[in-house]
DNA sequence: ACGGATTTGTTCGTATGTATG
DNA sequence: ACATACATACGAACAAATCCG
């Protein structure tokens, strides 16, 4: 009464509702990714090797990989192998580095879409930009679009009256730094940045079309011009799946 | 059939299931926090001022604030005011800055708890530490504990044979840098860091006692000694609610 | 530029356990 | 108890893309 296939036995033998083998393998592979054994961009063993290691058929491994591909954790290329998916955009952060140049270096298009422009009653404000309370600010809300996909939501604050009409300039030039040039800003220098992991607000989720459970990377940053005068304060939340920061020392 | 109180009317008048007023206020306050109008540590207007702005009773504001306090977005101090909660630990990241010194500067205790130690069969490895494939590594998994609360989970990799027995040293000294001294490492320099926002794995969630929906900040970092030899590769995921990174330029 | 080796993609087939009615 | 449908898992063969000498 021995079953023909040993592997099938293990399937039927499973005690009270253990998950299917391919799901177990999926979980195992997820652990491999999460504990750093395989870092973004690195190649996994071949399907055949994985099948041997897990003592299953190649199809079973493929089923697990398919799921991880769907979850955007892995990337598979025919003839090449299985790779750990890297974020669409790696931002090498520095004092003067611009996000847009990081995008073009990757051969990607980064655009903005303006959502709203309003004047902020800056009564309880001031602190981030180092301005006195009550100083008027213009506030832009915009979506950052990478290769046609909404990847981030930003609020940017600019002090008035210096940057009167900046919204139109950003909209027409499609670039913040280009718009800034019109106001005599030659250099945009990052003064400080705060990085956090947060959950999207309901508005974030709606505008970016993501789940509330999608982790986001929030960057709060303050920029100054060449005379060390604060020119921009912004809060940006990036979809964590497509964005990361690289820091070299 | 006129309602006795005008306030009740507005409540009963709500069109198809609009949320209660305090929830609307909570949402509004959440937006204030998320769009950068109030940054971590800053003080909100007084309850009375808020009540006036929203044209509600102070109690209604208090109900909203209570919820936000429970969600750990706000912190209320009697006689002082309502403050935007800041992460328990702000890590000013630099080439030589240690996390532990960031903790002590905040007057907090940062400890480690070792969870597992194992030898890694480094067949498909090597790349992160710049070592040839097959190089043996020791892998530690540990929990970082801030003021008695588990805030992060780390995997740390150290090349063998150089760091033979480092687990015992870390456990006994309670410090990685102290343990490193025993191996002749005077300086631990950060070479590179990658920062991402990710969801916790099931294991993360279990060990740290958090929901799967809690965003985490993942830092993958590579450290070198004074002779530029790689000495540590680590992956750490921090509970996003209690941790952020500050970068000054 | 060619050819063989490697690796993933696709399509057959077989067998078994599970859920449904 | 039975028929049906579906998910799971293994086996074999070949196609297509890639790599390397």
């Amino acid at each position: 009464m021995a079953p023909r296939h040993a592997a099938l036995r293990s399937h039927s033998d499973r005690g009270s509702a253990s998950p299917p083998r391919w799901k177990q393998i999926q979980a195992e592979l997820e652990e491999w990714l999460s504990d750093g054994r395989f870092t973004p961009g690195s190649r996994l063993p071949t399907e055949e090797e994985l099948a041997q290691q897990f003592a299953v058929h190649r199809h079973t491994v493929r089923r697990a990989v398919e799921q991880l591909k769907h979850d955007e954790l892995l990337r598979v290329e025919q003839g090449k192998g299985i790779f750990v998916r890297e974020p669409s955009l790696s931002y090498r952060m520095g004092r003067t580095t611009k996000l847009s140049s990081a995008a073009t270096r990757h051969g990607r298009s980064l655009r903005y879409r303006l959502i709203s422009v309003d004047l902020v009653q800056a009564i309880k404000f001031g602190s981030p930009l180092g301005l006195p309370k009550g100083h008027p600010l213009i506030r832009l809300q915009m979506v950052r679009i990478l290769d046609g996909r909404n990847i981030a939501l930003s609020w940017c604050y600019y002090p008035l009256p210096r940057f009167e009409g900046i919204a139109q300039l950003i909209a027409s030039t499609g670039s913040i730094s280009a718009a800034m040039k019109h106001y005599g800003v030659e250099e945009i220098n990052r003064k400080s940045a705060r990085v956090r992991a947060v959950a999207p607000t309901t508005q974030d989720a709606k505008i970016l079309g993501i789940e509330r459970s999608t982790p986001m990377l929030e960057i709060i940053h303050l920029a100054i011009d060449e005379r060390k005068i604060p020119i921009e304060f912004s809060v940006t939340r990036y979809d964590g799946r497509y964005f990361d920061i690289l820091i070299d020392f």
Side-chain angles (χ1 to χ4, degrees), chain A residues 3-49:
Chain A
R4 232 174 296 188
H5 308 291
L8 278 184
R9 169 134 46 98
S10 78
H11 180 247
S12 55
D13 265 359
R14 64 188 194 191
S16 56
S18 92
R21 195 74 183 93
W22 69 264
K23 280 207 175 186
Q24 298 175 23
I25 292 171
Q26 182 197 344
E28 179 72 19
L29 289 176
E30 271 180 31
E31 201 188 312
W32 287 15
L33 304 185
S34 69
D35 70 4
R37 240 177 293 189
F38 293 93
T39 47
S42 66
R43 217 198 93 188
L44 263 66
T46 65
E47 290 177 351
E48 199 53 61
E49 284 173 313

Coordinates of all heavy atoms in Angstrom, one line a residue, chain A residues 3-49:
Chain A
P3 N 2.4 4.4 -1.3 CA 2.0 5.4 -2.3 C 3.1 5.4 -3.4 O 4.3 5.2 -3.1 CB 1.9 6.7 -1.6 CG 2.6 6.6 -0.4 CD 2.7 5.1 0.0
R4 N 2.7 5.7 -4.6 CA 3.7 5.7 -5.7 C 4.7 6.8 -5.5 O 5.9 6.5 -5.8 CB 2.9 5.8 -7.0 CG 3.3 4.7 -8.0 CD 2.5 4.8 -9.2 NE 1.1 4.5 -8.9 CZ 0.2 4.4 -9.9 NH1 0.6 4.5 -11.2 NH2 -1.0 4.2 -9.6
H5 N 4.3 7.9 -5.1 CA 5.2 9.0 -4.9 C 5.4 9.4 -3.5 O 4.4 9.7 -2.8 CB 4.8 10.2 -5.7 CG 4.4 9.9 -7.1 ND1 5.4 9.5 -8.1 CD2 3.3 9.8 -7.8 CE1 4.8 9.3 -9.2 NE2 3.5 9.4 -9.1
A6 N 6.6 9.5 -3.1 CA 6.9 9.9 -1.7 C 6.4 11.3 -1.4 O 5.8 11.7 -0.4 CB 8.4 9.8 -1.4
A7 N 6.6 12.2 -2.5 CA 6.2 13.6 -2.3 C 4.7 13.7 -2.1 O 4.3 14.6 -1.3 CB 6.7 14.4 -3.5
L8 N 4.0 12.9 -2.7 CA 2.5 13.0 -2.6 C 2.1 12.6 -1.2 O 1.2 13.2 -0.6 CB 1.8 12.1 -3.6 CG 1.7 12.6 -5.0 CD1 0.9 11.7 -5.9 CD2 1.0 14.0 -4.9
R9 N 2.8 11.7 -0.6 CA 2.5 11.3 0.8 C 2.6 12.5 1.7 O 1.7 12.8 2.4 CB 3.5 10.3 1.2 CG 3.4 10.0 2.7 CD 3.3 8.6 3.1 NE 4.4 7.8 2.4 CZ 5.5 7.5 2.9 NH1 5.8 7.9 4.1 NH2 6.4 6.8 2.2
S10 N 3.7 13.3 1.5 CA 3.9 14.4 2.4 C 2.7 15.4 2.3 O 2.3 16.1 3.2 CB 5.2 15.1 2.1 OG 5.0 15.9 0.9
H11 N 2.1 15.4 1.1 CA 1.0 16.3 0.9 C -0.3 15.8 1.7 O -1.0 16.5 2.3 CB 0.7 16.5 -0.6 CG -0.5 17.4 -0.9 ND1 -1.6 16.9 -1.4 CD2 -0.7 18.7 -0.6 CE1 -2.5 17.9 -1.5 NE2 -1.9 19.0 -1.0
S12 N -0.5 14.5 1.5 CA -1.7 13.9 2.1 C -1.5 13.7 3.6 O -2.5 13.8 4.4 CB -2.0 12.6 1.5 OG -0.9 11.7 1.6
D13 N -0.3 13.6 4.0 CA 0.0 13.4 5.4 C -0.1 14.6 6.3 O -0.2 14.5 7.5 CB 1.5 12.9 5.6 CG 1.5 11.4 5.7 OD1 0.4 10.8 5.6 OD2 2.6 10.8 5.8
R14 N -0.2 15.7 5.6 CA -0.2 17.0 6.4 C -1.2 17.0 7.5 O -2.4 16.7 7.2 CB -0.3 18.2 5.5 CG -1.7 18.2 4.8 CD -1.7 19.3 3.8 NE -3.0 19.6 3.3 CZ -3.3 20.3 2.3 NH1 -2.3 20.8 1.6 NH2 -4.5 20.5 1.9
G15 N -0.8 17.3 8.7 CA -1.7 17.4 9.8 C -2.7 18.5 9.6 O -2.6 19.3 8.7
S16 N -3.6 18.7 10.5 CA -4.7 19.6 10.4 C -4.4 20.9 9.6 O -3.9 21.9 10.2 CB -5.1 20.0 11.8 OG -4.0 20.5 12.5
A17 N -4.7 20.8 8.3 CA -4.7 22.0 7.5 C -3.4 22.8 7.5 O -3.4 24.0 7.6 CB -5.9 23.0 7.9
S18 N -2.3 22.1 7.3 CA -1.1 22.9 7.1 C -1.1 23.4 5.7 O -1.8 22.8 4.8 CB 0.1 21.9 7.2 OG 0.5 21.4 6.0
P19 N -0.5 24.6 5.5 CA -0.6 25.2 4.1 C 0.0 24.4 3.1 O 0.9 23.6 3.4 CB 0.1 26.5 4.3 CG 1.0 26.3 5.5 CD 0.3 25.4 6.4
P20 N -0.4 24.6 1.8 CA 0.2 23.8 0.7 C 1.7 24.1 0.7 O 2.2 25.1 1.1 CB -0.5 24.3 -0.5 CG -1.2 25.6 -0.1 CD -1.4 25.5 1.4
R21 N 2.4 23.1 0.1 CA 3.9 23.2 0.0 C 4.4 24.4 -0.6 O 5.3 25.0 -0.2 CB 4.4 21.9 -0.7 CG 5.8 21.6 -0.6 CD 6.1 21.0 0.8 NE 7.6 20.8 0.9 CZ 8.4 21.7 1.4 NH1 7.9 22.9 1.9 NH2 9.7 21.5 1.5
W22 N 3.7 24.9 -1.7 CA 4.2 26.0 -2.4 C 4.1 27.3 -1.6 O 4.9 28.2 -1.7 CB 3.5 26.2 -3.8 CG 2.1 26.6 -3.7 CD1 1.0 25.7 -3.8 CD2 1.5 27.9 -3.6 NE1 -0.2 26.5 -3.7 CE2 0.1 27.8 -3.6 CE3 2.1 29.2 -3.5 CZ2 -0.7 28.9 -3.5 CZ3 1.3 30.3 -3.4 CH2 -0.1 30.1 -3.4
K23 N 3.1 27.3 -0.7 CA 3.0 28.5 0.2 C 4.1 28.5 1.2 O 4.6 29.5 1.6 CB 1.6 28.5 0.9 CG 0.5 29.0 0.0 CD -0.6 29.7 0.8 CE -1.6 30.3 -0.2 NZ -2.7 31.1 0.6
Q24 N 4.4 27.3 1.7 CA 5.5 27.2 2.7 C 6.8 27.7 2.0 O 7.6 28.4 2.6 CB 5.7 25.7 3.1 CG 4.5 25.2 3.9 CD 4.6 23.7 4.2 OE1 5.8 23.2 4.3 NE2 3.5 23.0 4.4
I25 N 7.0 27.3 0.8 CA 8.2 27.7 0.1 C 8.2 29.2 -0.1 O 9.2 29.8 0.0 CB 8.3 26.9 -1.3 CG1 8.6 25.4 -1.0 CG2 9.4 27.5 -2.1 CD1 8.5 24.5 -2.2
Q26 N 7.0 29.7 -0.5 CA 6.9 31.2 -0.6 C 7.3 31.9 0.7 O 8.1 32.8 0.6 CB 5.5 31.5 -0.9 CG 5.3 33.0 -1.2 CD 3.8 33.4 -1.1 OE1 2.9 32.6 -1.1 NE2 3.6 34.7 -0.9
A27 N 6.9 31.3 1.8 CA 7.2 32.0 3.1 C 8.7 31.9 3.3 O 9.3 32.8 3.8 CB 6.4 31.3 4.2
E28 N 9.3 30.7 3.0 CA 10.7 30.5 3.2 C 11.5 31.5 2.4 O 12.4 32.1 2.8 CB 11.1 29.1 2.9 CG 12.5 28.7 3.0 CD 13.0 28.6 4.4 OE1 12.1 28.4 5.3 OE2 14.2 28.7 4.7
L29 N 11.1 31.6 1.1 CA 11.8 32.5 0.2 C 11.7 34.0 0.7 O 12.6 34.8 0.7 CB 11.3 32.4 -1.2 CG 11.6 31.1 -1.9 CD1 10.9 31.1 -3.3 CD2 13.1 31.0 -2.1
E30 N 10.5 34.3 1.2 CA 10.3 35.7 1.8 C 11.3 35.9 2.9 O 11.8 37.0 3.1 CB 8.8 35.8 2.3 CG 7.9 36.3 1.2 CD 6.5 36.5 1.7 OE1 6.3 36.8 2.9 OE2 5.5 36.3 0.9
E31 N 11.5 34.9 3.7 CA 12.4 35.0 4.8 C 13.8 35.3 4.3 O 14.6 36.1 4.8 CB 12.4 33.8 5.7 CG 12.9 34.1 7.1 CD 13.0 32.9 8.0 OE1 12.1 32.1 8.0 OE2 14.1 32.7 8.6
W32 N 14.2 34.5 3.3 CA 15.5 34.7 2.6 C 15.7 36.2 2.2 O 16.8 36.7 2.3 CB 15.6 33.8 1.4 CG 15.8 32.4 1.8 CD1 15.6 31.8 3.0 CD2 16.2 31.3 0.9 NE1 15.8 30.4 2.9 CE2 16.3 30.1 1.6 CE3 16.6 31.3 -0.5 CZ2 16.6 28.9 1.0 CZ3 17.0 30.1 -1.0 CH2 17.0 28.9 -0.3
L33 N 14.6 36.7 1.7 CA 14.7 38.1 1.2 C 14.8 39.1 2.4 O 15.5 40.1 2.3 CB 13.5 38.5 0.3 CG 13.3 37.6 -0.9 CD1 12.2 38.1 -1.7 CD2 14.6 37.4 -1.7
S34 N 14.0 38.8 3.4 CA 13.9 39.8 4.5 C 15.1 39.7 5.4 O 15.4 40.7 6.1 CB 12.6 39.5 5.3 OG 12.8 38.3 6.0
D35 N 15.8 38.6 5.5 CA 16.9 38.6 6.5 C 18.3 39.0 5.8 O 19.3 38.9 6.4 CB 17.1 37.2 7.2 CG 17.5 36.1 6.2 OD1 17.8 36.4 5.1 OD2 17.6 35.0 6.7
G36 N 18.2 39.5 4.6 CA 19.4 40.0 4.0 C 20.2 39.0 3.3 O 21.3 39.3 2.7
R37 N 19.8 37.7 3.3 CA 20.6 36.7 2.6 C 20.7 37.0 1.1 O 21.7 36.8 0.4 CB 20.0 35.3 2.8 CG 20.9 34.4 3.5 CD 20.2 33.1 3.7 NE 19.1 33.2 4.7 CZ 18.5 32.1 5.2 NH1 18.8 30.9 4.8 NH2 17.5 32.3 6.0
F38 N 19.6 37.6 0.6 CA 19.6 38.0 -0.8 C 19.1 39.5 -0.8 O 18.0 39.8 -0.4 CB 18.6 37.2 -1.6 CG 19.1 35.8 -1.8 CD1 18.7 34.8 -0.9 CD2 20.0 35.4 -2.8 CE1 19.2 33.5 -1.0 CE2 20.5 34.1 -2.9 CZ 20.1 33.2 -2.0
T39 N 20.0 40.3 -1.2 CA 19.7 41.8 -1.2 C 19.2 42.2 -2.6 O 19.4 41.5 -3.6 CB 21.0 42.6 -0.9 OG1 22.0 42.1 -1.7 CG2 21.3 42.5 0.6
P40 N 18.5 43.3 -2.6 CA 17.9 43.8 -3.9 C 18.9 43.7 -5.1 O 20.0 44.2 -5.0 CB 17.5 45.2 -3.6 CG 17.2 45.2 -2.1 CD 18.2 44.2 -1.5
G41 N 18.4 43.1 -6.1 CA 19.3 43.0 -7.3 C 20.0 41.7 -7.4 O 20.4 41.3 -8.5
S42 N 20.2 41.0 -6.3 CA 20.9 39.7 -6.4 C 20.1 38.6 -7.0 O 18.9 38.6 -7.0 CB 21.4 39.4 -5.0 OG 20.3 39.0 -4.1
R43 N 20.8 37.6 -7.4 CA 20.2 36.5 -8.1 C 19.9 35.3 -7.2 O 20.8 34.9 -6.4 CB 21.0 36.0 -9.3 CG 20.2 35.6 -10.5 CD 21.0 34.8 -11.5 NE 20.8 33.3 -11.2 CZ 21.6 32.4 -11.8 NH1 22.5 32.7 -12.6 NH2 21.3 31.1 -11.5
L44 N 18.8 34.7 -7.3 CA 18.5 33.5 -6.5 C 19.0 32.3 -7.2 O 19.4 32.4 -8.4 CB 17.0 33.4 -6.3 CG 16.4 33.9 -5.0 CD1 16.5 35.4 -5.0 CD2 14.9 33.5 -4.9
P45 N 19.1 31.2 -6.5 CA 19.5 29.9 -7.2 C 18.4 29.6 -8.3 O 17.3 30.2 -8.3 CB 19.4 28.9 -6.1 CG 19.5 29.6 -4.8 CD 18.9 31.0 -5.1
T46 N 18.8 28.8 -9.2 CA 17.9 28.4 -10.3 C 16.7 27.7 -9.8 O 16.7 27.1 -8.7 CB 18.6 27.6 -11.4 OG1 18.9 26.3 -10.8 CG2 19.9 28.2 -11.8
E47 N 15.7 27.6 -10.6 CA 14.5 26.9 -10.2 C 14.8 25.4 -9.9 O 14.3 24.9 -8.9 CB 13.5 26.9 -11.4 CG 12.9 28.3 -11.6 CD 11.9 28.3 -12.8 OE1 11.9 27.2 -13.6 OE2 11.3 29.3 -13.1
E48 N 15.7 24.9 -10.7 CA 16.1 23.5 -10.5 C 16.8 23.3 -9.1 O 16.5 22.4 -8.4 CB 17.0 23.0 -11.6 CG 17.2 21.5 -11.8 CD 15.8 20.8 -11.9 OE1 15.1 21.1 -12.8 OE2 15.5 20.0 -11.0
E49 N 17.7 24.2 -8.8 CA 18.4 24.1 -7.5 C 17.5 24.3 -6.4 O 17.5 23.6 -5.4 CB 19.5 25.2 -7.5 CG 20.7 24.9 -8.3 CD 21.7 26.1 -8.3 OE1 21.3 27.2 -8.6 OE2 22.9 25.8 -8.1

